[in-house]
Amino acid sequence: MFILSIDPGSQSIGWALFMAKGKKKSIVDCGTIRPKGEDFIERCQDIQRHFNNNRFGVGTGIEYVLIESPYLGPKSNPSSILKLGMAVGVIMGFFPSSKVEMVKGHKTKNEARLIVEQYEVGKVSIDCCDAISMGHYWLNKNWVRLWANIQEQP
């Protein structure tokens, strides 16, 4: 079973592809997408091009897509939140057969770095680090349910 964890943004997108097999979980690959473009629309088009040309999407066997929900605090910029929602919409369009869940980020940046070290993926961006940390906690929280599903698969 494959699980894709995404820390979305219009400037930088962190991602981690996890594999749950038997009682083990591992990271297959991870990275950061830095969309190019003069303005927001061009960056969204570049996000679309990247996901269209990448290994993600239809037919890849990704069962769950986890997308970090935005922080909505008193100093949140409404325009930025709206743009983030549009970027998430572009990403979600590539996973029509996957179960998409919005997930709250859990840890501080330093705690997330400690989690990343467990997977031995080397140096990664802070956005990729967030995607790994979020996926790690989601997998741990949902392991019993996922384990039951893995056991039922042929």
Side-chain angles (χ1 to χ4, degrees):
M1 171 184 309
F2 292 98
I3 297 102
L4 179 62
S5 178
I6 300 173
D7 178 18
S10 64
Q11 301 283 334
S12 180
I13 300 166
W15 60 271
L17 181 62
F18 289 84
M19 181 173 66
K21 187 173 185 179
K23 292 184 178 182
K24 295 182 181 180
K25 63 181 182 252
S26 60
I27 293 180
V28 175
D29 201 0
C30 62
T32 305
I33 301 165
R34 300 202 191 282
K36 295 172 179 51
E38 294 291 319
D39 60 20
F40 175 71
I41 298 299
E42 287 181 9
R43 288 192 304 276
C44 279
Q45 289 169 337
D46 195 51
I47 291 168
Q48 188 174 26
R49 275 190 296 276
H50 181 84
F51 276 89
N52 201 32
N53 295 327
N54 209 306
R55 62 190 152 279
F56 309 129
V58 178
T60 58
I62 295 172
E63 191 163 332
Y64 290 91
V65 176
L66 314 174
I67 299 177
E68 186 175 33
S69 57
Y71 169 73
L72 299 173
K75 295 183 180 181
S76 296
N77 180 329
S79 176
S80 296
I81 297 298
L82 180 62
K83 287 178 180 178
L84 179 60
M86 287 188 249
V88 167
V90 168
I91 294 167
M92 287 177 65
F94 286 93
F95 303 99
S97 61
S98 300
K99 297 170 189 147
V100 178
E101 293 189 25
M102 296 299 287
V103 179
K104 182 182 175 191
H106 286 53
K107 296 293 175 184
T108 66
K109 302 300 181 193
N110 286 335
E111 291 169 320
R113 285 270 179 218
L114 292 174
I115 291 164
V116 170
E117 288 174 8
Q118 295 175 30
Y119 289 98
E120 299 177 0
V121 293
K123 187 174 180 175
V124 297
S125 73
I126 195 67
D127 297 301
C128 181
C129 183
D130 285 349
I132 291 170
S133 175
M134 180 183 60
H136 171 85
Y137 277 99
W138 185 89
L139 277 164
N140 285 345
K141 179 181 173 188
N142 293 284
W143 192 250
V144 172
R145 175 174 53 99
L146 294 174
W147 177 245
N149 289 344
I150 292 170
Q151 294 300 323
E152 293 171 6
Q153 293 177 358

